[in-house]
Amino acid sequence: MALSMIDSLFSQASKTSQEEIDTICQGVLENLYAPEKSAECMNQLRQLYFILQASHTEPCLPRNMISTLVNMVSSMDHDKTKECLLCEQILAELLPRDQGDLGSDFYPSSGYQSAESSANCFSLYLMQGNRNICFTSIIPQAVRWMSSGKEDLSVQRQAFSFLVSLQVLHNRMATEETLKSVNSTVSDWLMNASLYQLPNPYTINPFRKDQTPFVNEVDGTPSRNFFTVLNVGQYYTNDQFLNIYSFSMLYKWLYHSYTSSEDSQEASRSVHVFNGLVDKSIDYCFRILDQCERKPKIPSDIDLQNCCLLEIVKVLDIICKMEPGRVPRVFQEIRRLYNRLAQEPDKARLLIPILQFFLNHGKSVEHDPQEAYTLFFHKLLTQWYLDPFFSFDTVTFIKDNLETLCHNTSILSTYFPNILKILAWNPRSYLADFEDILPALMSPTTATEVFHMLLDLPCVTIALEVTERCKKSEAQTLSTEMEPTSSLSAFQSALYRPMFNFFTRVEGGHGDTINRLSSFLKILADMSQHPRVVVCSQIVPVLLRIWFDVILDEASSEFVSQLIPVLLERTALLYNIPGYQEDVKKVLSENLLHLLKKHPETLLDQASEIKDFLISPRNISGRKEFFANLVWCVGELCSVRHDKRCNAETITRFFDTLEVLTYELSGMTISGEELGDTSKIICMLMSSISKLASKCQDLIPRSILLLTKVAKQQQAGFLDTEVKDALVGRAQELINLLKLPNFAKVVLNPDDEIETGRWHRDNTSLPITLRGIQQILS
């Protein structure tokens, strides 16, 4: 109801006529400066903004209206803050525009345009872009206002913010002179802030002659070194505020200014321009490192220290990219920081940027980061995967360094069970990320284990959920109860605790699956409706398709051969959630077909396993599609054309298996035994048997006899008339075809060239052959 109402309002607003817009604009101009009509003016501005949002084409606003909006933004009247901000939003919908529409005082080149007014318009200048040479006129002014020291604090801050935003959005606009000037100013802001606190501006005591006190360190002692963001004072001076602000913007400025250089010549030029700021930045970061080793007087300042550590590692990282010669000096300090943080498990999140630093610069100092990787992905990830911030940073780190981690380390293929815990606990949040990460978790030695873990991912979620519940309830005592009645009691059972431990393991390489999986899945049934488990079950088919895509592209025939028995086993061992088993079996069925078509030699490699699976009608229950596809593959791919080992003896063995199965299924249909609808299986069996007989003509008499018996049995069976007619008709068609062995071989086993255009033009094409058969039979 609410959404339809919103759609209706948008539809009405989009059809607003130009006359109505002109009326609204006229009302705004009349009421804007009338205090008693402030509420009416706000409603008109909101209405105008909504129309601009909804309109598919840009409405025409009068020039005097646009210039009034510009004046409101540039003045930023404190008595009309709401109106000014709404005017800024309206202008954002209209920009960029020609200078004539915006008025003569939009650009700072106007003789009477003050620094404060231009500073208020910085966001509009960014939206305007360089149209009418906007940036060309504003950049020199912004640099001058930032560096002169004569402007108000807010103007200097806004000017620097504008220049940083300019580098982010239009990083080719700043000249070398601009970079030099800004770097010099930022260096001064970082290193030359006052160490004294600002006197209390709200009290004046003319008789007090005490010297203004120093700012303090976080531990409460007076500071004797230069001022940083971690110094504590009751009141701050303007230069101290600029120091704090410049540090908060330092990484963005360095990163986007440096990466704006596309060729090596310009890059080296940029490095030269940044030399002074780089020196000051390193000193500033090292000073913060020392301050972070102090114990804060106020406990909440620990969070401030942690934030600063995150920021300085990022700053030092980009500095080392800019100037590799700085790496040895910086690396020593980062290594010292890592050693300290590694002893504090509650600061695990701070290690992620340090890992990134090691990854980026470890080679230049011959440092092996394996110790850090092991600590993080083994110990810390086990402890902190529940933390949403830690999980987000971990997934981001893996995605940002996916290629390096995959090809240069064994981290992902070793600790994939631990990494997948993040997905099992947050299935809704990280599906898109793990679609990219999953292929990197797979290796020739771990791909099968990853496959099992994907199939059991809902069970992993249950194991994590139960483990956390038991931690909270402190119910850790193992009981000797042999048949638990719930997931929680199973966790407390000595018989099933090892299974929970297996699903929550840290490293891979400990086996593909577990014994007694079937009984374990039944015990977990009470958690099948848990919201997290349900969502986890919904993402498994998506990830399975990606897993199979990787296998189809990269796996060897030997791996596929080893995978077939796993598929045969796992189709019957899936956690029972409504819809989950059906979705997973569909994926397995489709990809069984793809795998065997690409690697038909697997049929002979795993002939024993496949025949054992096909000989039992019980394997049809619950997996008809999978069973039918396997039967089709046997009939279609068991051929010397696909595998030179496929001789008459091999074909006969497969024929024997399908023959027995067909007789048994047909007999069960007559007797009315419940196996569900097996008509599709019987039809597929008849086709596959005929295909095998056409390849080994000694089997044709047996095949015709079987088809004749099946047809008679189905005529006397309990199937629907339509299904019965279809089966009998199919059997008769195959009998007629097999009576002409040479034609049967061509029709039932066409050459691979049927996929090419030759078969539709050549005199030996399948259509011509079929027409010839029709003429003979008629």
PDB file of all heavy atoms in Angstrom, residues 385 387-396 422-423 425-435 437 539 543:
ATOM      1  N   TYR A 385      35.332 -14.579  14.343  1.00  0.00           N
ATOM      2  CA  TYR A 385      34.494 -14.627  13.141  1.00  0.00           C
ATOM      3  C   TYR A 385      33.078 -14.123  13.392  1.00  0.00           C
ATOM      4  O   TYR A 385      32.363 -13.744  12.469  1.00  0.00           O
ATOM      5  CB  TYR A 385      34.451 -16.055  12.593  1.00  0.00           C
ATOM      6  CG  TYR A 385      33.681 -17.028  13.449  1.00  0.00           C
ATOM      7  CD1 TYR A 385      32.316 -17.223  13.273  1.00  0.00           C
ATOM      8  CD2 TYR A 385      34.321 -17.755  14.444  1.00  0.00           C
ATOM      9  CE1 TYR A 385      31.609 -18.104  14.068  1.00  0.00           C
ATOM     10  CE2 TYR A 385      33.622 -18.640  15.246  1.00  0.00           C
ATOM     11  CZ  TYR A 385      32.270 -18.809  15.060  1.00  0.00           C
ATOM     12  OH  TYR A 385      31.570 -19.682  15.844  1.00  0.00           O
ATOM     13  N   ASP A 387      32.373 -11.444  15.113  1.00  0.00           N
ATOM     14  CA  ASP A 387      32.380  -9.979  15.147  1.00  0.00           C
ATOM     15  C   ASP A 387      32.125  -9.423  13.748  1.00  0.00           C
ATOM     16  O   ASP A 387      32.881  -9.725  12.815  1.00  0.00           O
ATOM     17  CB  ASP A 387      33.733  -9.481  15.667  1.00  0.00           C
ATOM     18  CG  ASP A 387      33.768  -7.971  15.800  1.00  0.00           C
ATOM     19  OD1 ASP A 387      33.271  -7.453  16.786  1.00  0.00           O
ATOM     20  OD2 ASP A 387      34.287  -7.311  14.863  1.00  0.00           O
ATOM     21  N   PRO A 388      31.069  -8.625  13.564  1.00  0.00           N
ATOM     22  CA  PRO A 388      30.730  -8.163  12.204  1.00  0.00           C
ATOM     23  C   PRO A 388      31.805  -7.287  11.579  1.00  0.00           C
ATOM     24  O   PRO A 388      32.033  -7.349  10.364  1.00  0.00           O
ATOM     25  CB  PRO A 388      29.417  -7.398  12.403  1.00  0.00           C
ATOM     26  CG  PRO A 388      29.373  -7.058  13.860  1.00  0.00           C
ATOM     27  CD  PRO A 388      30.113  -8.141  14.573  1.00  0.00           C
ATOM     28  N   PHE A 389      32.479  -6.459  12.390  1.00  0.00           N
ATOM     29  CA  PHE A 389      33.512  -5.583  11.850  1.00  0.00           C
ATOM     30  C   PHE A 389      34.745  -6.393  11.423  1.00  0.00           C
ATOM     31  O   PHE A 389      35.310  -6.163  10.352  1.00  0.00           O
ATOM     32  CB  PHE A 389      33.911  -4.532  12.889  1.00  0.00           C
ATOM     33  CG  PHE A 389      32.764  -3.704  13.379  1.00  0.00           C
ATOM     34  CD1 PHE A 389      32.238  -3.878  14.643  1.00  0.00           C
ATOM     35  CD2 PHE A 389      32.177  -2.750  12.549  1.00  0.00           C
ATOM     36  CE1 PHE A 389      31.170  -3.122  15.088  1.00  0.00           C
ATOM     37  CE2 PHE A 389      31.113  -1.985  12.987  1.00  0.00           C
ATOM     38  CZ  PHE A 389      30.601  -2.175  14.265  1.00  0.00           C
ATOM     39  N   PHE A 390      35.122  -7.336  12.274  1.00  0.00           N
ATOM     40  CA  PHE A 390      36.267  -8.186  11.938  1.00  0.00           C
ATOM     41  C   PHE A 390      35.963  -9.011  10.683  1.00  0.00           C
ATOM     42  O   PHE A 390      36.815  -9.150   9.799  1.00  0.00           O
ATOM     43  CB  PHE A 390      36.584  -9.097  13.121  1.00  0.00           C
ATOM     44  CG  PHE A 390      37.774  -9.980  12.908  1.00  0.00           C
ATOM     45  CD1 PHE A 390      39.053  -9.525  13.193  1.00  0.00           C
ATOM     46  CD2 PHE A 390      37.628 -11.271  12.413  1.00  0.00           C
ATOM     47  CE1 PHE A 390      40.160 -10.330  12.987  1.00  0.00           C
ATOM     48  CE2 PHE A 390      38.720 -12.086  12.206  1.00  0.00           C
ATOM     49  CZ  PHE A 390      39.989 -11.618  12.496  1.00  0.00           C
ATOM     50  N   SER A 391      34.755  -9.559  10.602  1.00  0.00           N
ATOM     51  CA  SER A 391      34.378 -10.364   9.438  1.00  0.00           C
ATOM     52  C   SER A 391      34.413  -9.531   8.165  1.00  0.00           C
ATOM     53  O   SER A 391      34.925  -9.976   7.131  1.00  0.00           O
ATOM     54  CB  SER A 391      32.976 -10.951   9.638  1.00  0.00           C
ATOM     55  OG  SER A 391      32.950 -11.817  10.731  1.00  0.00           O
ATOM     56  N   PHE A 392      33.868  -8.327   8.234  1.00  0.00           N
ATOM     57  CA  PHE A 392      33.849  -7.465   7.050  1.00  0.00           C
ATOM     58  C   PHE A 392      35.263  -7.135   6.597  1.00  0.00           C
ATOM     59  O   PHE A 392      35.583  -7.228   5.400  1.00  0.00           O
ATOM     60  CB  PHE A 392      33.076  -6.182   7.361  1.00  0.00           C
ATOM     61  CG  PHE A 392      33.054  -5.204   6.224  1.00  0.00           C
ATOM     62  CD1 PHE A 392      32.156  -5.342   5.185  1.00  0.00           C
ATOM     63  CD2 PHE A 392      33.949  -4.136   6.182  1.00  0.00           C
ATOM     64  CE1 PHE A 392      32.135  -4.458   4.128  1.00  0.00           C
ATOM     65  CE2 PHE A 392      33.944  -3.238   5.128  1.00  0.00           C
ATOM     66  CZ  PHE A 392      33.027  -3.403   4.100  1.00  0.00           C
ATOM     67  N   ASP A 393      36.117  -6.764   7.537  1.00  0.00           N
ATOM     68  CA  ASP A 393      37.493  -6.422   7.176  1.00  0.00           C
ATOM     69  C   ASP A 393      38.244  -7.631   6.619  1.00  0.00           C
ATOM     70  O   ASP A 393      39.047  -7.497   5.685  1.00  0.00           O
ATOM     71  CB  ASP A 393      38.236  -5.874   8.403  1.00  0.00           C
ATOM     72  CG  ASP A 393      37.784  -4.477   8.782  1.00  0.00           C
ATOM     73  OD1 ASP A 393      37.085  -3.851   7.967  1.00  0.00           O
ATOM     74  OD2 ASP A 393      38.114  -4.016   9.884  1.00  0.00           O
ATOM     75  N   THR A 394      37.978  -8.807   7.169  1.00  0.00           N
ATOM     76  CA  THR A 394      38.650 -10.020   6.695  1.00  0.00           C
ATOM     77  C   THR A 394      38.241 -10.344   5.268  1.00  0.00           C
ATOM     78  O   THR A 394      39.085 -10.626   4.406  1.00  0.00           O
ATOM     79  CB  THR A 394      38.326 -11.203   7.619  1.00  0.00           C
ATOM     80  OG1 THR A 394      38.749 -10.898   8.949  1.00  0.00           O
ATOM     81  CG2 THR A 394      39.016 -12.466   7.133  1.00  0.00           C
ATOM     82  N   VAL A 395      36.939 -10.306   4.997  1.00  0.00           N
ATOM     83  CA  VAL A 395      36.455 -10.595   3.649  1.00  0.00           C
ATOM     84  C   VAL A 395      36.983  -9.560   2.658  1.00  0.00           C
ATOM     85  O   VAL A 395      37.393  -9.902   1.539  1.00  0.00           O
ATOM     86  CB  VAL A 395      34.906 -10.626   3.634  1.00  0.00           C
ATOM     87  CG1 VAL A 395      34.384 -10.719   2.205  1.00  0.00           C
ATOM     88  CG2 VAL A 395      34.396 -11.812   4.447  1.00  0.00           C
ATOM     89  N   THR A 396      37.009  -8.303   3.065  1.00  0.00           N
ATOM     90  CA  THR A 396      37.532  -7.247   2.197  1.00  0.00           C
ATOM     91  C   THR A 396      39.016  -7.474   1.897  1.00  0.00           C
ATOM     92  O   THR A 396      39.467  -7.334   0.752  1.00  0.00           O
ATOM     93  CB  THR A 396      37.336  -5.874   2.848  1.00  0.00           C
ATOM     94  OG1 THR A 396      35.949  -5.665   3.118  1.00  0.00           O
ATOM     95  CG2 THR A 396      37.840  -4.767   1.937  1.00  0.00           C
ATOM     96  N   ILE A 422      32.683 -17.532   8.231  1.00  0.00           N
ATOM     97  CA  ILE A 422      32.141 -16.180   8.086  1.00  0.00           C
ATOM     98  C   ILE A 422      30.878 -16.213   7.253  1.00  0.00           C
ATOM     99  O   ILE A 422      29.868 -15.583   7.576  1.00  0.00           O
ATOM    100  CB  ILE A 422      33.188 -15.245   7.452  1.00  0.00           C
ATOM    101  CG1 ILE A 422      34.414 -15.114   8.357  1.00  0.00           C
ATOM    102  CG2 ILE A 422      32.582 -13.876   7.158  1.00  0.00           C
ATOM    103  CD1 ILE A 422      35.527 -14.289   7.759  1.00  0.00           C
ATOM    104  N   LEU A 423      30.914 -16.983   6.160  1.00  0.00           N
ATOM    105  CA  LEU A 423      29.739 -17.109   5.304  1.00  0.00           C
ATOM    106  C   LEU A 423      28.629 -17.883   6.006  1.00  0.00           C
ATOM    107  O   LEU A 423      27.460 -17.506   5.906  1.00  0.00           O
ATOM    108  CB  LEU A 423      30.125 -17.810   4.005  1.00  0.00           C
ATOM    109  CG  LEU A 423      28.988 -18.068   3.019  1.00  0.00           C
ATOM    110  CD1 LEU A 423      28.405 -16.757   2.522  1.00  0.00           C
ATOM    111  CD2 LEU A 423      29.454 -18.915   1.854  1.00  0.00           C
ATOM    112  N   TRP A 425      27.938 -18.012   9.083  1.00  0.00           N
ATOM    113  CA  TRP A 425      27.332 -17.185  10.136  1.00  0.00           C
ATOM    114  C   TRP A 425      26.615 -15.962   9.560  1.00  0.00           C
ATOM    115  O   TRP A 425      25.666 -15.457  10.155  1.00  0.00           O
ATOM    116  CB  TRP A 425      28.402 -16.748  11.136  1.00  0.00           C
ATOM    117  CG  TRP A 425      27.819 -16.157  12.389  1.00  0.00           C
ATOM    118  CD1 TRP A 425      27.747 -14.837  12.721  1.00  0.00           C
ATOM    119  CD2 TRP A 425      27.221 -16.870  13.475  1.00  0.00           C
ATOM    120  NE1 TRP A 425      27.146 -14.682  13.941  1.00  0.00           N
ATOM    121  CE2 TRP A 425      26.807 -15.918  14.436  1.00  0.00           C
ATOM    122  CE3 TRP A 425      26.987 -18.220  13.729  1.00  0.00           C
ATOM    123  CZ2 TRP A 425      26.183 -16.281  15.625  1.00  0.00           C
ATOM    124  CZ3 TRP A 425      26.369 -18.577  14.912  1.00  0.00           C
ATOM    125  CH2 TRP A 425      25.972 -17.611  15.840  1.00  0.00           C
ATOM    126  N   ASN A 426      27.055 -15.499   8.403  1.00  0.00           N
ATOM    127  CA  ASN A 426      26.451 -14.311   7.773  1.00  0.00           C
ATOM    128  C   ASN A 426      26.078 -14.624   6.326  1.00  0.00           C
ATOM    129  O   ASN A 426      26.578 -13.970   5.403  1.00  0.00           O
ATOM    130  CB  ASN A 426      27.421 -13.121   7.808  1.00  0.00           C
ATOM    131  CG  ASN A 426      27.968 -12.851   9.187  1.00  0.00           C
ATOM    132  OD1 ASN A 426      27.331 -12.220  10.014  1.00  0.00           O
ATOM    133  ND2 ASN A 426      29.174 -13.329   9.449  1.00  0.00           N
ATOM    134  N   PRO A 427      25.222 -15.609   6.089  1.00  0.00           N
ATOM    135  CA  PRO A 427      24.979 -16.035   4.707  1.00  0.00           C
ATOM    136  C   PRO A 427      24.330 -14.973   3.834  1.00  0.00           C
ATOM    137  O   PRO A 427      24.596 -14.907   2.638  1.00  0.00           O
ATOM    138  CB  PRO A 427      24.046 -17.251   4.879  1.00  0.00           C
ATOM    139  CG  PRO A 427      23.401 -17.061   6.205  1.00  0.00           C
ATOM    140  CD  PRO A 427      24.416 -16.377   7.061  1.00  0.00           C
ATOM    141  N   ARG A 428      23.525 -14.142   4.448  1.00  0.00           N
ATOM    142  CA  ARG A 428      22.851 -13.114   3.648  1.00  0.00           C
ATOM    143  C   ARG A 428      23.803 -11.988   3.260  1.00  0.00           C
ATOM    144  O   ARG A 428      23.651 -11.364   2.206  1.00  0.00           O
ATOM    145  CB  ARG A 428      21.656 -12.548   4.437  1.00  0.00           C
ATOM    146  CG  ARG A 428      20.664 -11.771   3.590  1.00  0.00           C
ATOM    147  CD  ARG A 428      19.581 -11.141   4.474  1.00  0.00           C
ATOM    148  NE  ARG A 428      18.883 -12.115   5.267  1.00  0.00           N
ATOM    149  CZ  ARG A 428      17.851 -12.822   4.840  1.00  0.00           C
ATOM    150  NH1 ARG A 428      17.419 -12.674   3.608  1.00  0.00           N
ATOM    151  NH2 ARG A 428      17.252 -13.688   5.641  1.00  0.00           N
ATOM    152  N   SER A 429      24.784 -11.730   4.091  1.00  0.00           N
ATOM    153  CA  SER A 429      25.647 -10.558   3.893  1.00  0.00           C
ATOM    154  C   SER A 429      26.768 -10.787   2.885  1.00  0.00           C
ATOM    155  O   SER A 429      27.164  -9.859   2.176  1.00  0.00           O
ATOM    156  CB  SER A 429      26.268 -10.135   5.239  1.00  0.00           C
ATOM    157  OG  SER A 429      25.264  -9.865   6.199  1.00  0.00           O
ATOM    158  N   TYR A 430      27.292 -12.014   2.813  1.00  0.00           N
ATOM    159  CA  TYR A 430      28.550 -12.222   2.092  1.00  0.00           C
ATOM    160  C   TYR A 430      28.450 -13.147   0.887  1.00  0.00           C
ATOM    161  O   TYR A 430      29.477 -13.596   0.371  1.00  0.00           O
ATOM    162  CB  TYR A 430      29.619 -12.763   3.057  1.00  0.00           C
ATOM    163  CG  TYR A 430      30.013 -11.772   4.118  1.00  0.00           C
ATOM    164  CD1 TYR A 430      29.777 -12.031   5.463  1.00  0.00           C
ATOM    165  CD2 TYR A 430      30.604 -10.562   3.777  1.00  0.00           C
ATOM    166  CE1 TYR A 430      30.125 -11.109   6.438  1.00  0.00           C
ATOM    167  CE2 TYR A 430      30.957  -9.639   4.741  1.00  0.00           C
ATOM    168  CZ  TYR A 430      30.718  -9.921   6.077  1.00  0.00           C
ATOM    169  OH  TYR A 430      31.065  -9.002   7.025  1.00  0.00           O
ATOM    170  N   LEU A 431      27.234 -13.425   0.413  1.00  0.00           N
ATOM    171  CA  LEU A 431      27.117 -14.326  -0.730  1.00  0.00           C
ATOM    172  C   LEU A 431      27.866 -13.786  -1.945  1.00  0.00           C
ATOM    173  O   LEU A 431      28.649 -14.497  -2.588  1.00  0.00           O
ATOM    174  CB  LEU A 431      25.642 -14.548  -1.075  1.00  0.00           C
ATOM    175  CG  LEU A 431      25.385 -15.355  -2.354  1.00  0.00           C
ATOM    176  CD1 LEU A 431      26.012 -16.726  -2.262  1.00  0.00           C
ATOM    177  CD2 LEU A 431      23.888 -15.458  -2.634  1.00  0.00           C
ATOM    178  N   ALA A 432      27.636 -12.511  -2.287  1.00  0.00           N
ATOM    179  CA  ALA A 432      28.285 -11.931  -3.472  1.00  0.00           C
ATOM    180  C   ALA A 432      29.807 -11.973  -3.344  1.00  0.00           C
ATOM    181  O   ALA A 432      30.520 -12.229  -4.325  1.00  0.00           O
ATOM    182  CB  ALA A 432      27.801 -10.498  -3.674  1.00  0.00           C
ATOM    183  N   ASP A 433      30.316 -11.741  -2.139  1.00  0.00           N
ATOM    184  CA  ASP A 433      31.770 -11.763  -1.940  1.00  0.00           C
ATOM    185  C   ASP A 433      32.326 -13.171  -2.128  1.00  0.00           C
ATOM    186  O   ASP A 433      33.360 -13.360  -2.769  1.00  0.00           O
ATOM    187  CB  ASP A 433      32.111 -11.253  -0.539  1.00  0.00           C
ATOM    188  CG  ASP A 433      31.651  -9.826  -0.314  1.00  0.00           C
ATOM    189  OD1 ASP A 433      32.174  -8.936  -0.985  1.00  0.00           O
ATOM    190  OD2 ASP A 433      30.756  -9.609   0.522  1.00  0.00           O
ATOM    191  N   PHE A 434      31.624 -14.150  -1.594  1.00  0.00           N
ATOM    192  CA  PHE A 434      32.143 -15.520  -1.687  1.00  0.00           C
ATOM    193  C   PHE A 434      31.941 -16.116  -3.070  1.00  0.00           C
ATOM    194  O   PHE A 434      32.566 -17.126  -3.397  1.00  0.00           O
ATOM    195  CB  PHE A 434      31.513 -16.399  -0.612  1.00  0.00           C
ATOM    196  CG  PHE A 434      32.261 -16.342   0.700  1.00  0.00           C
ATOM    197  CD1 PHE A 434      32.008 -15.339   1.621  1.00  0.00           C
ATOM    198  CD2 PHE A 434      33.247 -17.262   0.979  1.00  0.00           C
ATOM    199  CE1 PHE A 434      32.707 -15.261   2.809  1.00  0.00           C
ATOM    200  CE2 PHE A 434      33.961 -17.212   2.171  1.00  0.00           C
ATOM    201  CZ  PHE A 434      33.688 -16.202   3.087  1.00  0.00           C
ATOM    202  N   GLU A 435      31.098 -15.534  -3.883  1.00  0.00           N
ATOM    203  CA  GLU A 435      31.050 -15.955  -5.276  1.00  0.00           C
ATOM    204  C   GLU A 435      32.388 -15.695  -5.959  1.00  0.00           C
ATOM    205  O   GLU A 435      32.805 -16.431  -6.854  1.00  0.00           O
ATOM    206  CB  GLU A 435      29.925 -15.215  -6.006  1.00  0.00           C
ATOM    207  CG  GLU A 435      28.536 -15.686  -5.612  1.00  0.00           C
ATOM    208  CD  GLU A 435      27.452 -14.905  -6.330  1.00  0.00           C
ATOM    209  OE1 GLU A 435      27.780 -14.137  -7.253  1.00  0.00           O
ATOM    210  OE2 GLU A 435      26.279 -15.057  -5.968  1.00  0.00           O
ATOM    211  N   ILE A 437      35.307 -15.342  -4.044  1.00  0.00           N
ATOM    212  CA  ILE A 437      36.355 -15.967  -3.229  1.00  0.00           C
ATOM    213  C   ILE A 437      36.404 -17.477  -3.417  1.00  0.00           C
ATOM    214  O   ILE A 437      37.485 -18.077  -3.400  1.00  0.00           O
ATOM    215  CB  ILE A 437      36.130 -15.621  -1.731  1.00  0.00           C
ATOM    216  CG1 ILE A 437      36.358 -14.124  -1.503  1.00  0.00           C
ATOM    217  CG2 ILE A 437      37.051 -16.428  -0.833  1.00  0.00           C
ATOM    218  CD1 ILE A 437      35.986 -13.661  -0.103  1.00  0.00           C
ATOM    219  N   ILE A 539      21.661 -20.295  -0.179  1.00  0.00           N
ATOM    220  CA  ILE A 539      22.824 -19.837  -0.943  1.00  0.00           C
ATOM    221  C   ILE A 539      23.674 -20.996  -1.454  1.00  0.00           C
ATOM    222  O   ILE A 539      24.508 -20.805  -2.336  1.00  0.00           O
ATOM    223  CB  ILE A 539      23.708 -18.880  -0.116  1.00  0.00           C
ATOM    224  CG1 ILE A 539      24.431 -19.644   1.000  1.00  0.00           C
ATOM    225  CG2 ILE A 539      22.885 -17.738   0.453  1.00  0.00           C
ATOM    226  CD1 ILE A 539      25.482 -18.821   1.707  1.00  0.00           C
ATOM    227  N   LEU A 543      26.461 -21.329  -4.821  1.00  0.00           N
ATOM    228  CA  LEU A 543      27.889 -21.600  -4.688  1.00  0.00           C
ATOM    229  C   LEU A 543      28.273 -22.922  -5.352  1.00  0.00           C
ATOM    230  O   LEU A 543      29.372 -23.060  -5.901  1.00  0.00           O
ATOM    231  CB  LEU A 543      28.274 -21.618  -3.206  1.00  0.00           C
ATOM    232  CG  LEU A 543      28.081 -20.293  -2.467  1.00  0.00           C
ATOM    233  CD1 LEU A 543      28.344 -20.464  -0.983  1.00  0.00           C
ATOM    234  CD2 LEU A 543      28.986 -19.206  -3.036  1.00  0.00           C
TER     235      LEU A 543
END
